[in-house]
Amino acid sequence: MKLGCRISPCFRGDGGFEEFVAFCGELGLDAVDCPTMNAEIAACCEKHGMAIGSVDGMFFGMQSDDPAERERAAVEARERVDAIAEHGGKVMFVAIGAEDPSMTRAQAFGNWKQSWPALVKHAEERGIRIAVEPWPGPPAPRYKATLGCTPEMLRAMYEAIPSPALGLCYDPSHMVRLRSDYRRLLEEFKDRIAHVHLKDTVIYDDALYEFGTLGPCIGEQPYKYGGAYWRYAIPGDGEIDWKWVLGRLDDIRYDGVLSIELEDHYYADTPELQKQGITKAAEYIRLQLAG
């Protein structure tokens, strides 16, 4: 397994990617997740001795009710797959949502079953795995018709498209947020894991009592990267047993990237804090791997 990092907000913008890759090199990381893929980005990774972890493939139109929009997005998606393959990548990261907030997940899934089989076949032919993240969408009550965010949905997706090219980005933080079981998810879908995000979740029991899972009706959500009763955090600051997670990934011989994803209210406001959060996360994960 390689230890890597997903780009944080302080590195986004002109010139930020090379600064991000250099920072990861200074931390002794092995890989970086890339927001896109082209010759310049591939050369930057090679220059700093970094493996390519995943490459973003964020396109929502393939779940549209409009066949023309689905086809437009499908062309874009195939082009993204081709670019990744041509420049040495192996994994395309996706969170599968719908731009129409009124669409149900069932409606989005129906459209997905029409548009995605050809994309997955194309990815398989190019040697690319698509890693679906079980991200539920924005905090309640603004959920989108996000697919792949529950075991029920993942099971249905893998039954509809059995190809191993359709994989999973295992991110246990989302299961904790949903009050589901991140251990059971890993066990059930261990053969689908194509990428891993290292992110934790804090649960606030008093807020669960106060609001349930619905969130407050008076006032605003209290946390960046969170909701009323939960917030994402760096590994080690939340509910997840990382020694168990890393041990099981080793048991199943996962040989991909473990990618730190910084989404933490307390390490968000300045570039210095974001770098501190990534550094602290890397140190914590290394301790768990060594122990």
Side-chain angles (χ1 to χ4, degrees):
M1 292 183 287
K2 296 180 176 68
L3 184 57
C5 190
R6 182 168 174 79
I7 193 167
S8 67
C10 69
F11 295 110
R12 298 183 186 274
D14 293 341
F17 183 74
E18 180 147 16
E19 183 184 357
F20 163 66
V21 177
F23 171 70
C24 289
E26 292 168 4
L27 285 183
L29 301 182
D30 307 304
V32 292
D33 289 352
C34 304
T36 189
M37 182 49 61
N38 53 42
E40 182 180 3
I41 284 180
C44 181
C45 292
E46 184 176 4
K47 172 184 174 182
H48 292 276
M50 286 287 160
I52 298 168
S54 70
V55 181
D56 286 359
M58 309 304 284
F59 34 82
F60 292 140
M62 289 180 70
Q63 287 67 250
S64 172
D65 282 332
D66 181 355
E69 173 62 11
R70 290 201 300 270
E71 178 55 27
R72 182 209 59 78
V75 170
E76 178 185 335
R78 290 192 296 270
E79 290 174 349
R80 181 62 62 99
V81 167
D82 290 340
I84 295 169
E86 287 165 12
H87 296 291
K90 297 296 182 183
V91 177
M92 182 169 72
F93 164 81
V94 297
I96 304 175
E99 292 177 319
D100 181 357
S102 68
M103 182 178 286
T104 67
R105 279 188 291 145
Q107 289 173 309
F109 183 53
N111 294 337
W112 178 90
K113 286 192 290 185
Q114 296 184 56
S115 61
W116 272 72
L119 172 62
V120 174
K121 181 180 179 182
H122 183 71
E124 186 171 12
E125 290 170 350
R126 297 305 309 266
I128 301 298
R129 294 194 77 190
I130 299 174
V132 178
E133 183 183 44
W135 176 63
R142 302 187 305 278
Y143 291 108
K144 293 183 178 179
T146 310
L147 302 181
C149 56
T150 64
E152 174 205 29
M153 284 301 308
L154 287 169
R155 197 177 303 118
M157 291 164 68
Y158 296 138
E159 288 174 358
I161 304 180
S163 168
L166 184 64
L168 173 69
C169 177
Y170 178 68
D171 185 334
S173 69
H174 301 309
M175 293 299 100
V176 176
R177 166 187 166 183
L178 293 178
R179 312 311 287 140
S180 186
D181 189 336
Y182 66 88
R183 294 180 178 88
R184 188 170 170 182
L185 185 84
L186 192 158
E187 298 292 355
E188 180 174 355
F189 300 106
K190 59 181 180 292
D191 294 335
R192 293 283 182 168
I193 297 175
H195 196 60
V196 174
H197 279 173
L198 304 176
K199 186 167 82 265
D200 220 323
T201 300
V202 178
I203 299 296
Y204 295 100
D205 290 334
D206 285 347
L208 266 177
Y209 166 74
E210 190 75 8
F211 313 117
T213 60
L214 299 177
C217 64
I218 302 169
E220 298 180 355
Q221 303 285 10
Y223 303 108
K224 296 177 182 177
Y225 307 113
Y229 71 90
W230 63 277
R231 68 173 178 87
Y232 294 134
I234 60 173
D237 282 5
E239 301 266 317
I240 294 166
D241 182 345
W242 288 101
K243 191 170 289 295
W244 182 91
V245 169
L246 297 170
R248 286 301 292 137
L249 289 170
D250 187 55
D251 289 343
I252 66 173
R253 293 180 170 80
Y254 172 72
D255 63 354
V257 174
L258 306 168
S259 184
I260 297 163
E261 183 179 28
L262 184 70
E263 292 184 346
D264 189 310
H265 180 87
Y266 295 107
Y267 294 96
D269 285 345
T270 67
E272 290 73 22
L273 282 172
Q274 290 176 35
K275 291 177 182 179
Q276 287 177 28
I278 294 169
T279 301
K280 185 176 178 181
E283 291 171 349
Y284 176 81
I285 292 298
R286 285 192 177 114
L287 284 174
Q288 306 313 302
L289 289 168

